[in-house]
Amino acid sequence: MASNAADYLKDVKSPASLKRVLEFEVPRERVEDEITGIIEGIRRDVTLPGFRKGKAPLDVVRARFGGTARKEAMEQLIPEAYGAALEKLALRPALPPEISSLNYGDEGPFSFHIAIELYPVMDLKPYKGLQVKKESRAVQDADIERETENLRERVANYIPVETGAETKHIAVLDYWRIGDDGEPVKSSRVANYPVEIGSGRLVKEFDAGLLGAKPGDSKTIEVTYQDD
């Protein structure tokens, strides 16, 4: 039963300082009890040819769904055993467990191994009574103005305009490069790109070329890039 799950742990190996391999054996009676319980649950809900719902013989249901019940039983017993072992050994895994060597034959217990990586044990040095120097910084008017402006920009509401673009306007562009053949290079296309005209973040030809542009306009702007 779940109360004895800690007893399923049979051995612990330490192949590395922070690695443990837990070896488990679940008694066969416990596994069969779990499988039988699952089979009975299936029997209550399933309708088989020749039988009313929930009335099929248990051996018939077992023959039909035994493999499924066996798999579900193992999926329930593994975390039950693993959780009890972690509590018993006071282990703190740092990563998900790796399950291996599952074996449940015609006789004997259900056995499996679980490998885990542990958190390192930290040797905490004395920290109480340490002296630290508190640094203070005088807030200048320029600091307040800068942060206020940042807040204004973040929460600003932009209003569409139909007049020509001016400095400080935000233009939303679709743009692409023109190839040597004079045709647009489709792979270079950028859509819905917002820029602030006159912000200094664009090359000067772009800034100048966008002035006066209206929504829906198409323009070709020649740009001279630096050698780098």
Side-chain angles (χ1 to χ4, degrees):
M1 297 298 179
S3 59
N4 299 322
D7 296 335
Y8 304 160
L9 179 66
K10 296 304 178 183
D11 196 10
V12 180
K13 290 183 169 60
S14 302
S17 61
L18 295 177
K19 186 169 184 177
R20 300 290 183 273
V21 177
L22 313 180
E23 299 182 1
F24 295 89
E25 289 184 357
V26 182
R28 192 171 192 87
E29 307 79 50
R30 175 71 182 92
V31 180
E32 291 302 318
D33 285 346
E34 190 72 25
I35 292 175
T36 299
I38 294 171
I39 290 291
E40 290 175 345
I42 295 174
R43 180 193 184 196
R44 288 193 296 268
D45 298 327
V46 74
T47 301
L48 295 179
F51 303 98
R52 297 196 308 274
K53 180 179 179 180
K55 299 300 182 180
L58 199 61
D59 58 341
V60 173
V61 179
R62 184 181 292 272
R64 182 80 173 268
F65 299 101
T68 299
R70 176 177 168 137
K71 181 180 178 182
E72 288 187 14
M74 293 180 178
E75 290 175 349
Q76 294 181 30
L77 291 170
I78 289 175
E80 178 182 303
Y82 176 57
L86 293 183
E87 184 176 353
K88 179 180 180 179
L89 301 174
L91 298 177
R92 292 181 62 235
L95 298 171
E98 296 180 4
I99 304 170
S100 64
S101 304
L102 281 78
N103 182 49
Y104 189 58
D106 295 333
E107 297 180 355
F110 168 41
S111 61
F112 55 94
H113 296 172
I114 295 182
I116 55 175
E117 296 282 346
L118 303 177
Y119 283 105
V121 178
M122 306 301 292
D123 183 16
L124 187 62
K125 303 298 182 182
Y127 63 92
K128 293 185 178 180
L130 294 178
Q131 298 295 318
V132 295
K133 181 180 179 181
K134 180 180 180 181
E135 294 185 0
S136 60
R137 180 174 180 269
V139 179
Q140 306 295 329
D141 290 343
D143 298 324
I144 298 175
E145 182 63 28
R146 182 177 61 254
E147 290 304 314
T148 302
E149 185 62 24
N150 288 338
L151 287 172
R152 289 179 62 245
E153 289 187 4
R154 286 203 295 269
V155 300
N157 292 321
Y158 294 100
I159 302 174
V161 295
E162 298 298 329
T163 57
E166 303 174 9
T167 300
K168 297 295 184 182
H169 280 182
I170 302 295
V172 181
L173 311 177
D174 290 353
Y175 69 89
W176 51 88
R177 180 168 57 86
I178 303 297
D180 294 337
D181 58 359
E183 296 297 324
V185 179
K186 294 182 179 180
S187 61
S188 70
R189 186 175 187 271
V190 177
N192 296 319
Y193 185 76
V195 297
E196 180 181 345
I197 300 174
S199 65
R201 299 175 184 174
L202 303 174
V203 292
K204 59 183 180 180
E205 292 90 345
F206 249 99
D207 257 344
L210 291 174
L211 289 173
K214 296 180 180 180
D217 282 356
S218 295
K219 304 190 71 173
T220 300
I221 301 175
E222 292 188 4
V223 176
T224 302
Y225 293 99
Q226 298 182 8
D227 292 339
D228 61 357

